[in-house]
Amino acid sequence: MTHVPTLSICVPSRNRQVYFQATIRALTASLRSDIELVFVDNSDDASVMDAFIQPYLADPRVKYVPSGATVRPMVDNWEVALQATTGRWISVIGDDDHIDPDVAGLLTRIEAEMPDVEALDWARLFFTWPYPGKPPYSNVVQLLTEIHEVPKDQLKERAFRWDHAREVLGCGFGIYHGAVSRVLMERIKSLSKTNRYFEHPIVDYDNIYKLIMHGKRFVHCRRPLSVMGACPLSNTAAVNDLKDAKKKLEAFHREHKNPIDDWECYRDFPFRAHHGVTACIGMTQHWFAKEYGYDFAGFEKNFARSCAIQCEGYPTREEFEVSSAAYREVFAKWQGGRFAKYFRPVWKDREAPQAFGGMLEGKLYLSDAYETAATPAEYYDMVGGILLPVENLVIDFENVRVVSGVAA
């Protein structure tokens, strides 16, 4: 009988070989035999990763998809990754991230208690890769350990009405830094018009919207199980930097034959990718509604508030004003300006950044001012010393339930 892995971990990469290599080293160090590791390169110079991966191909858990003859857009790179998987569950992380392979064992235990579970979400850690001149950051560590089911109706409110959203949605369920059953991913593919797992270039939110719409049962773990890394080359690093974001957006558009800003479905939705992350999420939702005939009316006020929060996150007054003015212009046009009054960004003077370390409102904050970890995997191992081991997490769906209105 052919061995079917419990969990396929996919790591698609694009021209970030140094970070990709560190992630490969960390994941292959796991001793688990119930995981599959799918590494997908998409580099301009394929020879770097082609040479690096050779010793790892002797590991039966490793699958390697080399760069193609031409650059694959991100959505195609993810599609290729999923096509290479064989596991019963699938997770995707970035090439500068980390995930605990012990998620595989946790999934097996959860399935024993809830056989029809289709998606697992969890708390995340955050890590900024060291670089010269990097300012200190305070990284929050969630100390809770409960595992509970999240009602689908609550997720739909958070995803499609933007309840409890900040600059991004307040629901994390998706294949990116989450785990999705193959049953659900195949359902998503079969219900798509293109017979694909992923369609929209904003690929993580393409998956979030479809997963919540088509999934059946959802479980959240409050213990962190992965690390979202931000290296100087990552899109995450550009979120609050207008100049860097512009460069990365130009590259993103170049790699897609049909840039999303030019799509016909956005003729009545004036927000564009250059407005920022919140607009991009809104664009994905608008496409999903238009393409598949859904009506998500009722999200507009919360969406406007989220756009304001995005503007308030910029570190300089100039960036705040530029972003606010751009949003103000499109809110004046959208639906006759009906929701412009809900877009009310407020600039708050910033003090010089100081990384806080300690307890605050029940959460632990770790200062990275001393650079005690060099990679996300090292950081996860360090934090793991103060967290309950994954194998000791209690699964009790009868007595542990999510409270309505509280973040999952």
Side-chain angles (χ1 to χ4, degrees):
M1 179 180 292
T2 302
H3 170 66
V4 178
T6 299
L7 175 65
S8 295
I9 299 173
C10 300
V11 188
S13 180
R14 170 79 177 117
N15 280 344
R16 300 195 300 217
Q17 294 93 336
V18 172
Y19 306 99
F20 193 20
Q21 291 170 6
T23 300
I24 291 172
R25 292 189 193 99
L27 291 176
T28 54
S30 169
L31 299 179
R32 298 197 70 97
S33 61
D34 55 354
I35 60 172
E36 177 180 62
L37 302 171
V38 179
F39 302 122
V40 183
D41 190 35
N42 190 26
S43 297
D44 295 332
D45 180 1
S47 65
V48 177
M49 290 308 302
D50 287 352
F52 174 84
I53 201 68
Q54 290 306 312
Y56 296 93
L57 295 179
D59 186 334
R61 303 171 303 172
V62 170
K63 285 187 175 180
Y64 177 63
V65 180
S67 299
T70 59
V71 172
R72 291 185 288 262
M74 180 185 291
V75 64
D76 291 347
N77 214 34
W78 282 43
E79 190 75 15
V80 166
L82 265 287
Q83 290 171 354
T85 63
T86 63
R88 294 189 299 106
W89 289 80
I90 310 166
S91 182
V92 176
I93 64 169
D95 54 10
D96 57 353
D97 299 335
H98 182 67
I99 184 173
D100 191 337
D102 286 343
V103 167
L106 180 62
L107 285 166
T108 300
R109 293 173 56 213
I110 290 173
E111 285 180 304
E113 301 296 326
M114 186 185 293
D116 55 346
V117 62
E118 292 189 330
L120 174 66
D121 177 51
W122 54 73
R124 291 126 188 161
L125 298 173
F126 300 90
F127 176 81
T128 303
W129 287 75
Y131 62 88
K134 182 182 81 66
Y137 291 95
S138 293
N139 297 306
V140 64
V141 177
Q142 178 64 266
L143 299 177
L144 299 175
T145 61
E146 293 89 350
I147 296 174
H148 58 82
E149 183 173 9
V150 182
K152 178 168 179 170
D153 287 346
Q154 177 176 314
L155 290 176
K156 290 175 72 174
E157 290 293 304
R158 287 171 175 265
F160 302 116
R161 295 179 63 89
W162 291 63
D163 281 2
H164 299 276
R166 292 192 58 77
E167 72 274 17
V168 298
L169 297 180
C171 58
F173 278 88
I175 201 167
Y176 185 60
H177 285 268
V180 183
S181 71
R182 178 166 298 280
V183 170
L184 177 51
M185 287 306 299
E186 294 300 332
R187 185 184 309 136
I188 287 171
K189 180 181 178 181
S190 68
L191 291 171
S192 73
K193 293 182 178 180
T194 57
N195 196 38
R196 289 175 57 106
Y197 298 110
F198 308 107
E199 296 179 285
H200 195 279
I202 311 299
V203 63
D204 47 349
Y205 280 91
D206 169 281
N207 180 252
I208 287 173
Y209 282 122
K210 292 174 182 175
L211 183 151
I212 292 172
M213 182 60 72
H214 302 313
K216 294 179 179 178
R217 298 190 76 177
F218 308 82
V219 169
H220 178 77
C221 174
R222 292 189 170 182
R223 184 201 188 275
L225 296 173
S226 65
V227 184
M228 300 189 79
C231 72
L233 301 177
S234 72
N235 293 330
T236 304
V239 167
N240 289 325
D241 184 327
L242 281 180
K243 291 181 180 178
D244 193 22
K246 182 179 179 181
K247 292 179 182 177
K248 289 188 167 83
L249 181 60
E250 288 172 351
F252 181 79
H253 282 323
R254 281 196 304 271
E255 291 171 6
H256 289 79
K257 297 183 178 69
N258 185 14
I260 59 174
D261 283 352
D262 300 333
W263 288 11
E264 180 69 19
C265 66
Y266 297 125
R267 290 186 64 181
D268 60 346
F269 192 76
F271 302 89
R272 295 294 180 266
H274 68 265
H275 288 120
V277 61
T278 312
C280 287
I281 299 169
M283 291 174 72
T284 311
Q285 176 174 322
H286 186 79
W287 166 83
F288 187 46
K290 287 278 190 178
E291 188 72 7
Y292 290 97
Y294 296 114
D295 181 4
F296 299 133
F299 79 99
E300 296 88 353
K301 295 178 184 178
N302 287 335
F303 174 68
R305 297 184 184 109
S306 290
C307 292
I309 292 172
Q310 179 207 309
C311 295
E312 292 169 354
Y314 287 106
T316 69
R317 182 67 181 260
E318 179 185 2
E319 290 171 306
F320 167 82
E321 296 292 355
V322 169
S323 179
S324 298
Y327 267 119
R328 207 168 278 118
E329 181 179 352
V330 291
F331 271 110
K333 299 175 182 176
W334 186 41
Q335 297 194 31
R338 288 174 55 203
F339 303 102
K341 63 183 177 181
Y342 300 102
F343 176 72
R344 298 193 296 266
V346 177
W347 169 256
K348 301 177 182 68
D349 289 326
R350 269 67 160 168
E351 297 180 357
Q354 293 182 341
F356 169 75
M359 294 290 296
L360 182 64
E361 297 179 349
K363 295 179 180 179
L364 175 64
Y365 290 82
L366 295 180
S367 167
D368 68 359
Y370 303 106
E371 300 291 9
T372 50
T375 68
E378 288 184 13
Y379 180 64
Y380 183 84
D381 290 343
M382 181 186 75
V383 173
I386 58 174
L387 297 176
L388 186 68
V390 176
E391 61 268 23
N392 295 136
L393 292 172
V394 175
I395 302 172
D396 184 359
F397 293 120
E398 288 299 317
N399 295 306
V400 180
R401 300 177 183 273
V402 67
V403 178
S404 180
V406 175

